[in-house]
Amino acid sequence: MPAKRAVDLTGSLILLLLLSPLLLAVAAAVALTSPGPVLARQNRTGLGGRTFAMLTFRTRRAGTRCSTPVGRPLRDHFLDELPQLINVVRGEMSLVGPRPLPPERSEPATGAGRARLGVRPGITGLWQISGRSELPWEEMAVLDLHYMEEYWLGLDLLILARTLPAVFAGRPPVRPRRARPVRLA
């Protein structure tokens, strides 16, 4: 999938350049409002089952579950995930794909789990534009499998286009209702 990698690399480099003032402002806000590193590293399973350190802006106080003063707004607007563009440049992630899972939640290398290991995990994907945290875990797996089976570059562009309004709208409050998947056609 050289075309997908070319889009990932070009897109992430352009986004890093365009968003560099925002990235610097967020990094400064994190550094000035709480002690500790600006970036958090979370182990995730990637392409071929390799573990990598997924980068995010730190939104929790060191050693606690409490949010930093800027943590909630960063998470609400997905700004905490912007450092993952570096993971894309390094080839550990893609702009679009299944979300990377922690090693302890990775499925066995059979069926959907094996298919997941055959692609780079993404910053955004069908799960994110279809309701994200409002969807049950099983539906996330179905959406990820659908993405992997039906992949084409146009699907990535469609998912990226539908991600932008979600970022600007922010994360909705968690509700106990079932979200409807987004129609792709």
Side-chain angles (χ1 to χ4, degrees), residues 126-127 129-131 135 139 143 146 152 154-155 158-159 161-162 179-185:
L126 285 178
W127 182 51
I129 65 169
S130 298
L135 293 177
E139 259 185 78
L143 288 170
H146 177 74
W152 59 290
L155 179 59
L158 177 65
I159 291 169
R162 291 195 177 177
R180 293 178 302 212
V182 172
R183 223 173 134 223
L184 296 176

Side-chain angles (χ1 to χ4, degrees), residues 42 44 54 56-57 59-60 67 70-82 84 99 123-124 127-135 162-175 177:
Q42 303 168 17
R44 294 291 187 259
M54 184 179 75
T56 60
F57 282 116
T59 60
R60 299 201 182 276
S67 289
V70 296
R72 169 79 50 206
L74 292 180
R75 283 192 311 273
D76 284 350
H77 292 281
F78 309 102
L79 297 175
D80 61 322
E81 296 182 13
L82 287 177
Q84 291 166 29
R99 282 300 289 167
I123 295 175
T124 189
W127 182 51
Q128 287 79 359
I129 65 169
S130 298
R132 197 175 174 115
S133 60
E134 294 182 5
L135 293 177
R162 291 195 177 177
T163 298
L164 291 177
V167 168
F168 289 118
R171 188 171 275 143
V174 177
R175 294 187 185 108
R177 65 177 183 82

Side-chain angles (χ1 to χ4, degrees), residues 19-145:
L19 297 174
S20 59
L22 176 62
L23 291 165
L24 290 172
V26 171
V30 170
L32 293 171
T33 59
S34 65
V38 171
L39 294 178
R41 290 168 173 75
Q42 303 168 17
N43 286 333
R44 294 291 187 259
T45 303
L47 182 63
R50 288 183 292 279
T51 301
F52 68 97
M54 184 179 75
L55 303 173
T56 60
F57 282 116
R58 184 175 50 81
T59 60
R60 299 201 182 276
R61 296 179 196 266
T64 71
R65 301 281 301 163
C66 300
S67 289
T68 63
V70 296
R72 169 79 50 206
L74 292 180
R75 283 192 311 273
D76 284 350
H77 292 281
F78 309 102
L79 297 175
D80 61 322
E81 296 182 13
L82 287 177
Q84 291 166 29
L85 291 169
I86 296 167
N87 291 113
V88 175
V89 170
R90 294 194 307 206
E92 299 161 333
M93 291 180 71
S94 178
L95 291 174
V96 179
R99 282 300 289 167
L101 299 176
E104 63 273 7
R105 290 200 75 179
S106 293
E107 301 171 32
T110 59
R114 172 178 251 158
R116 176 182 277 283
L117 298 178
V119 297
R120 281 187 180 89
I123 295 175
T124 189
L126 285 178
W127 182 51
Q128 287 79 359
I129 65 169
S130 298
R132 197 175 174 115
S133 60
E134 294 182 5
L135 293 177
W137 178 260
E138 296 78 23
E139 259 185 78
M140 179 202 72
V142 168
L143 288 170
D144 285 347
L145 189 58

